[in-house]
Amino acid sequence: ALYGGKELSLLQEFAANAHSYLTPAGFLLVIVSTDSNIDLFMKSFREHEYDGRLMHRVKTVFEDFYVYEFIPRSQAKGKLSLACPSCRGSLVASEAGWMCEKESLVFGIDNGIPDFLLPSRRDQVNRFLDLYQLVRKSEGWGSNDHEYYFSLPYNDTSRKHTAIWKIRSKTFDTFIAHCAREHNSAKSILDLGAGNCWLSRRLAEEGYDVTAVDIHIDESDGLRVTQRIRTNGSVGFSCIRAEFDHLPFPEHCFDIIIFNASLHYVRDPYLTLLDNGRLLKKGGSIYVLDSPIYRDESSGRAMVDERQDDLRRRFDIEIPEEFSGSFLLYDHMRLLEDTFSVEFISPRYGLRWNVNRILPSLLMRREPASFEIVRLQRKPGSHPSVL
């Protein structure tokens, strides 16, 4: 009753037989006290092909209690690992969610979604989201119709952004075909800037283990869409709230990282790419989808200025520069070649797209933006460098 039998015989029997009772994604939670032989306790589960980690600890006057999670090694590879987004150290499960003991940070759950925004960043993120939601709602993004989300990117049932979704459907088809050729053994994908999670859902249907990340958790245009439209036949994936430069994952977690029409919103896209390269498994790649790329920096600056002027006219408020988004430069992407092999992949958007893109640019006398897919594959033995 107190020690699990002689030489922990009861726990050893449990460890030997629990496999038979677990579902394919099942795991064990086991409580142990410092009054027990913890070394023998851990050895019992290791010998029966479990990987364990400490989830929670409670100190009392006479003894300490620990809660361990044990995952069968046959499934541990598919289990999402988490780390502190500040120090990147290990997290311990707490009553509120997760705790970083090193930095005394606690991360909770917001509307059912793990929330890993750093406390020091919350005010700035919320100011951005206030303006972001104002613009997005005025532009008619999102829908009350469930079919809208299941149809994306091939059919915009709202008919408010048909041209944009046609472009994204071509990008998606090109990306999927490329992955089938280049990453036929890839399993884990990180979708950064997931929004309403249309891409995460499509990738999960293709058989990938997907983690969707965004700071926006709105129920019609953000991560909470998945809760609203979930059905018994829906394919599942993980949703996490976090910033791209403060992600809650340890190194070497993902086969593929995707910036989904989102990289141009970060302060320094090149440093973000270098930093997130640490999350790639051996042979993994980062893909940048649907972010504007220019050869001439002045053309990119002109595009941002046009965007800011348009928002000021429409909303009659001062628009922070970072909200207007940014752009990528071909020359700057090639500066990453010490760390990554860089490849540009061109989806076929069609003649109408090319005409509609070039004519307005000629009138504005600036270079039109390109929307090539950028693939960055981490070079063996490379380390992030400072540009």
Side-chain angles (χ1 to χ4, degrees):
L2 295 179
Y3 303 110
K6 186 178 180 180
E7 296 296 315
L8 294 179
S9 59
L10 180 62
L11 278 175
Q12 293 194 50
E13 182 180 352
F14 174 70
N17 293 289
H19 285 278
S20 304
Y21 298 90
L22 290 175
T23 64
F27 56 94
L28 310 177
L29 290 174
V30 187
I31 301 171
V32 65
S33 153
T34 48
D35 276 357
S36 288
N37 185 335
I38 293 183
D39 290 338
L40 180 58
F41 165 81
M42 296 297 295
K43 181 181 178 183
S44 299
F45 288 94
R46 283 197 299 268
E47 288 179 344
H48 290 95
E49 300 297 313
Y50 289 95
D51 288 328
R53 62 171 178 156
L54 179 64
M55 299 294 291
H56 191 50
R57 179 180 65 191
V58 176
K59 292 186 175 183
T60 70
V61 175
F62 300 105
E63 58 187 321
D64 293 350
F65 293 94
Y66 300 91
V67 179
Y68 279 91
E69 177 189 62
F70 291 100
I71 304 168
R73 287 193 190 132
S74 60
Q75 297 166 43
K77 292 180 180 179
K79 181 79 171 176
L80 179 65
S81 297
L82 296 172
C84 175
S86 177
C87 70
R88 298 173 181 170
S90 60
L91 296 172
V92 176
S94 69
E95 292 181 5
W98 297 266
M99 179 173 61
C100 173
E101 294 183 317
K102 180 179 178 181
E103 302 214 356
S104 300
L105 295 174
V106 176
F107 304 98
I109 298 175
D110 188 343
N111 289 284
I113 296 173
D115 187 346
F116 283 93
L117 289 184
L118 292 173
S120 60
R121 294 282 303 158
R122 285 189 179 276
D123 287 345
Q124 186 168 349
V125 168
N126 288 334
R127 285 195 298 271
F128 174 87
L129 286 176
D130 286 344
L131 184 54
Y132 182 80
Q133 287 180 303
L134 175 66
V135 173
R136 297 284 288 188
K137 289 185 184 299
S138 74
E139 293 176 345
W141 292 95
S143 175
N144 293 322
D145 179 14
H146 289 194
E147 185 59 31
Y148 167 79
Y149 301 99
F150 286 105
S151 298
L152 298 178
Y154 297 109
N155 182 22
D156 176 13
T157 59
S158 74
R159 300 186 178 181
K160 294 177 180 177
H161 304 285
T162 303
I164 292 175
W165 286 113
K166 281 185 177 179
I167 294 170
R168 292 187 178 178
S169 68
K170 297 290 187 184
T171 301
F172 175 71
D173 287 342
T174 302
F175 170 75
I176 285 294
H178 180 87
C179 281
R181 292 192 306 270
E182 301 292 328
H183 298 281
N184 55 15
S185 63
K187 292 297 181 184
S188 55
I189 292 184
L190 179 62
D191 178 8
L192 295 176
N196 65 36
C197 296
W198 72 265
L199 178 58
S200 292
R201 183 179 59 79
R202 291 285 183 182
L203 292 171
E205 289 173 349
E206 294 284 334
Y208 293 102
D209 178 15
V210 185
T211 302
V213 172
D214 208 310
I215 59 172
H216 196 207
I217 58 173
D218 184 76
E219 63 179 11
S220 64
D221 196 31
L223 296 180
R224 286 168 59 200
V225 168
T226 59
Q227 299 170 341
R228 222 185 79 206
I229 68 172
R230 184 174 292 127
T231 66
N232 290 336
S234 297
V235 180
F237 50 87
S238 301
C239 289
I240 288 179
R241 190 185 195 202
E243 292 187 275
F244 300 164
D245 291 326
H246 305 285
L247 292 171
F249 309 112
E251 295 184 354
H252 315 307
C253 278
F254 301 100
D255 296 304
I256 296 171
I257 298 173
I258 303 170
F259 285 91
N260 181 17
S262 58
L263 184 61
H264 51 285
Y265 280 108
V266 304
R267 183 179 297 275
D268 190 325
Y270 312 104
L271 289 180
T272 296
L273 290 168
L274 286 169
D275 181 55
N276 288 350
R278 68 185 175 84
L279 303 180
L280 290 174
K281 296 179 183 178
K282 184 178 180 180
S285 294
I286 296 175
Y287 288 86
V288 180
L289 310 183
D290 293 320
S291 281
I293 313 174
Y294 291 90
R295 288 178 172 80
D296 177 19
E297 184 172 0
S298 64
S299 293
R301 296 289 177 197
M303 180 273 294
V304 172
D305 291 343
E306 290 161 14
R307 172 71 169 162
Q308 278 195 304
D309 290 342
D310 175 61
L311 292 174
R312 287 192 189 101
R313 283 195 301 270
R314 287 162 55 196
F315 299 101
D316 194 28
I317 56 175
E318 186 60 31
I319 305 297
E321 183 177 351
E322 63 269 19
F323 180 80
S324 302
S326 186
F327 53 90
L328 306 177
L329 291 170
Y330 282 101
D331 286 346
H332 287 184
M333 296 302 292
R334 293 189 175 95
L335 290 174
L336 301 173
E337 289 179 341
D338 285 345
T339 303
F340 301 101
S341 59
V342 182
E343 178 183 4
F344 297 95
I345 304 163
S346 299
R348 296 181 179 179
Y349 294 125
L351 179 60
R352 178 177 292 183
W353 151 254
N354 290 325
V355 171
N356 290 340
R357 168 176 164 263
I358 292 172
L359 285 179
S361 300
L362 291 175
L363 295 174
M364 290 183 287
R365 297 182 180 180
R366 67 166 172 83
E367 169 197 354
S370 295
F371 288 88
E372 291 184 281
I373 297 173
V374 185
R375 180 197 182 188
L376 305 167
Q377 186 171 32
R378 187 70 176 268
K379 291 180 177 179
S382 64
H383 298 282
S385 56
V386 178
L387 294 180

